[in-house]
Amino acid sequence: MDYDAIVLGAGGAGLLAAAMAGQAGARVLVLDHADRPGKKILISGGGRCNFTNTGAEPGCYLSENIHFAKSALSRYTQWDFLALVERHGIAWHEKTLGQLFCDGSARQIVAMLLDECERGGVEVRLQARIGEIGHADGLFRVAGASAPQLVIATGGPSIPKMGATGIAFDIARRFGLSVVPPRPALVPFVLGPEAQPFREIAGVAVPVIARCGTAAFAEAALFTHRGLSGPAILQVSSYWHPGAAVVLSVLPGAAEKLRAARRAMPRSHLRAVLAEHLPNRLAEVMAQRIGAAREMANLPDTEIDRIAGALEALTFHPTGTEGYAKAEVTAGGISTAELSSRTMEAKRLPGLYAIGEAVDVTGWLGGYNFQWAWSSGVAAGRAIAARRG
Ligand code: FDA
């Protein structure tokens, strides 16, 4: 036995799990095929890493078992991670909606994690090929090393050009663990030809309330050459399934606003009224689509209500998403039914753990996914140390 634990994946979850276990005395090896650790951290948050969210709580996560994340999130919170950031002297700021970013660079978060690993005597081996994983006599054998504990922390297949793979799911299946079908999430939508007028206003952004099923997010939407993007759209994409509608309110409170405009600008046409509230090009597309040719003064209440309905429920049926190439995360993954919510250890194969994005727990946009990586990583790291002790 060479190590107490081998961690597969030097992303946020794997590095923090390794550091925790190492600092508690475990001998830990981290393996990653990349040429440097924490690549997704480095590109996250526009290079400043939105490392957590002050509002992180279980309701901000999707999973087949919505209760699963509670334990880990409550035992290592956003405030615990923030305390770690502050101990390392990393300056940070809150941008919007509770999202915390580095003032400087995401490189500081990776350096912090590597420093924590070093303190725990963790060995990080990069450009390593995982290959076949053996398991016999209570030991996992991988890449020429062996240990009684193995952590799957290789994330999901989002952004394959950065080296992301679905190997976590292959390993899980190899050990008999079920996998909730993975799908791209936090991902832009592709729209069909019926949405051509909106594709022609690519680049226009507007604050909306975006809805898909029961999910609703008030943030910006962005029209693109292929369809829809922007934070509100990425948020609802995680709840979308093929065939489902995405409904945008581009003018919340539209009926009152239109009635006020009828009083204030009775001789104006709808296009001019909409331009008071919406970006010009969107106002034009919406006015054409709604087709109210009369002056505002001549619009009866029923017509105002119809127009308001169109503005509050602009409905799209995406033909699909832009897929893993553009998805910020992978939803689905190793089934939580297979894992202890306290330790992330596989119930039917003690010594095997799964953490981070590889697991069927997916956060909203805004620092929630890193918080899950930290919380689940710490849960496993502590358990590894405890088992060894
Ligand atoms: P992660 O993917 O980080 O790490 C997995 C590691 O495993 C990688 O180092 C990889 O090289 C390695 N690996 C994969 N396959 C392997 C194989 N076959 N062999 C060996 N090693 C392998 N979240 C957030 O909260 N705030 C943010 O600001 C952002 N921003 C953001 C921007 C972009 C562009 C993306 C793509 C994603 C984000 N995210 C985010 C999401 C966040 O990056 C993600 O949820 C976490 O990085 C997940 O951490 P993990 O450690 O689980 O996986």
Side-chain angles (χ1 to χ4, degrees):
M1 174 174 108
D2 308 322
Y3 298 91
D4 294 306
I6 299 172
V7 177
L8 305 177
L15 289 175
L16 196 54
M20 279 284 155
Q23 288 176 20
R27 288 165 304 158
V28 185
L29 170 68
V30 180
L31 295 175
D32 200 299
H33 67 172
D35 56 1
R36 53 174 155 161
K39 275 188 161 180
K40 278 195 182 166
I41 299 174
L42 294 174
I43 60 156
S44 68
R48 289 213 161 85
C49 186
N50 176 196
F51 54 79
T52 193
N53 193 295
T54 58
E57 50 103 2
C60 310
Y61 293 85
L62 292 83
S63 172
E64 276 202 345
N65 176 1
I66 55 165
H67 303 292
F68 181 82
K70 283 182 184 166
S71 171
L73 288 173
S74 69
R75 290 167 65 231
Y76 190 83
T77 67
Q78 56 272 49
W79 312 115
D80 294 318
F81 190 77
L82 188 57
L84 180 65
V85 165
E86 292 197 324
R87 275 207 300 284
H88 282 257
I90 300 173
W92 57 274
H93 62 280
E94 179 175 337
K95 201 168 171 188
T96 176
L97 301 172
Q99 301 167 4
L100 304 191
F101 287 76
C102 299
D103 286 356
S105 160
R107 285 195 296 272
Q108 295 172 286
I109 298 292
V110 176
M112 175 187 84
L113 294 170
L114 291 176
D115 185 48
E116 290 291 317
C117 280
E118 206 175 308
R119 285 183 205 195
V122 173
E123 184 182 336
V124 179
R125 207 182 287 169
L126 299 172
Q127 296 182 303
R129 217 181 80 77
I130 291 176
E132 278 297 301
I133 301 177
H135 184 237
D137 307 325
L139 284 183
F140 294 94
R141 290 173 206 281
V142 52
S146 67
Q149 305 191 80
L150 181 73
V151 184
I152 306 172
T154 48
S158 309
I159 323 281
K161 72 168 193 263
M162 292 190 57
T165 71
I167 195 173
F169 312 141
D170 301 335
I171 299 170
R173 290 191 193 100
R174 138 96 176 79
F175 289 111
L177 308 187
S178 57
V179 173
V180 174
R183 61 184 196 282
L186 298 181
V187 63
F189 285 120
V190 176
L191 299 176
E194 75 291 348
Q196 187 56 29
F198 294 99
R199 300 210 308 232
E200 281 168 12
I201 60 167
V204 169
V206 60
V208 299
I209 299 172
R211 292 191 170 79
C212 184
T214 55
F217 291 89
E219 286 184 67
L222 171 71
F223 295 95
T224 72
H225 290 292
R226 297 191 67 191
L228 292 170
S229 187
I233 299 300
L234 300 185
Q235 297 281 30
V236 293
S237 75
S238 300
Y239 294 84
W240 184 79
H241 57 84
V246 173
V247 181
L248 305 187
S249 170
V250 295
L251 189 61
E256 299 83 77
K257 287 178 180 138
L258 291 171
R259 284 193 173 85
R262 188 172 54 184
R263 288 191 297 275
M265 28 195 317
R267 300 271 73 85
S268 297
H269 285 86
L270 181 64
R271 158 107 185 48
V273 170
L274 291 184
E276 297 281 306
H277 299 281
L278 302 176
N280 236 320
R281 291 162 75 202
L282 178 60
E284 193 168 325
V285 172
M286 289 306 295
Q288 270 183 14
R289 186 182 170 96
I290 291 166
R294 286 172 280 173
E295 292 176 347
M296 290 303 289
N298 297 326
L299 297 179
D301 276 352
T302 50
E303 185 63 354
I304 292 280
D305 289 342
R306 180 188 74 83
I307 297 168
L311 292 163
E312 295 238 39
L314 173 60
T315 301
F316 296 99
H317 286 92
T319 53
T321 72
E322 293 200 29
Y324 288 120
K326 293 284 168 63
E328 196 157 312
V329 289
T330 302
I334 298 172
S335 172
T336 57
E338 305 283 3
L339 306 173
S340 151
S341 63
R342 199 176 159 78
T343 62
M344 305 293 133
E345 191 171 14
K347 291 175 189 163
R348 48 174 126 173
L349 184 49
L352 180 67
Y353 301 78
I355 57 177
E357 197 176 318
V359 177
D360 171 34
V361 173
T362 306
W364 290 350
L365 185 77
Y368 300 93
N369 284 296
F370 276 134
Q371 186 56 45
W372 171 245
W374 318 135
S375 298
S376 60
V378 168
R382 285 176 178 156
I384 288 166
R387 186 179 235 265
R388 179 188 166 274

